[in-house]
Amino acid sequence: REMHRVLRPGGMAIVAFSDRNFLTKAVGIWAQDVADGAGHARIIANYFRFSVDRGWTGISVVDLSPDYGTWDHGNPLYVVT
């Protein structure tokens, strides 16, 4: 709610994350499957979707993980806007 309050009308909020985290600081639903990047992106998208009435629209998720699926892939990176 606070991001929606402080952004100008039509402003964009961007949340980027990897699967590297401290489980002792993570909310329970996040810690259930720490490698579920797409699932975590849905959690963040739902935070936006359900935080304010008629607030966030056009929520999107982008997987920017480098070389995903190869043996030498780097850390996953997801962005929710």
Side-chain angles (χ1 to χ4, degrees):
R1 290 183 189 170
E2 194 64 10
M3 281 195 294
H4 190 265
R5 184 186 70 79
V6 299
L7 284 174
R8 292 181 179 171
M12 179 184 287
I14 300 171
V15 177
F17 68 93
S18 180
D19 71 349
R20 307 299 182 242
N21 61 63
F22 297 98
L23 289 180
T24 57
K25 298 180 186 274
V27 294
I29 194 168
W30 195 277
Q32 288 175 0
D33 186 357
V34 296
D36 183 13
H40 293 155
R42 284 190 299 276
I43 292 169
I44 294 171
N46 282 332
Y47 281 147
F48 283 114
R49 188 171 289 114
F50 300 117
S51 65
V52 292
D53 291 335
R54 297 181 313 272
W56 302 102
T57 59
I59 300 166
S60 64
V61 174
V62 179
D63 181 351
L64 297 175
S65 303
D67 300 322
Y68 184 77
T70 64
W71 68 271
D72 63 345
H73 66 276
N75 290 338
L77 178 64
Y78 293 86
V79 176
V80 181
T81 62

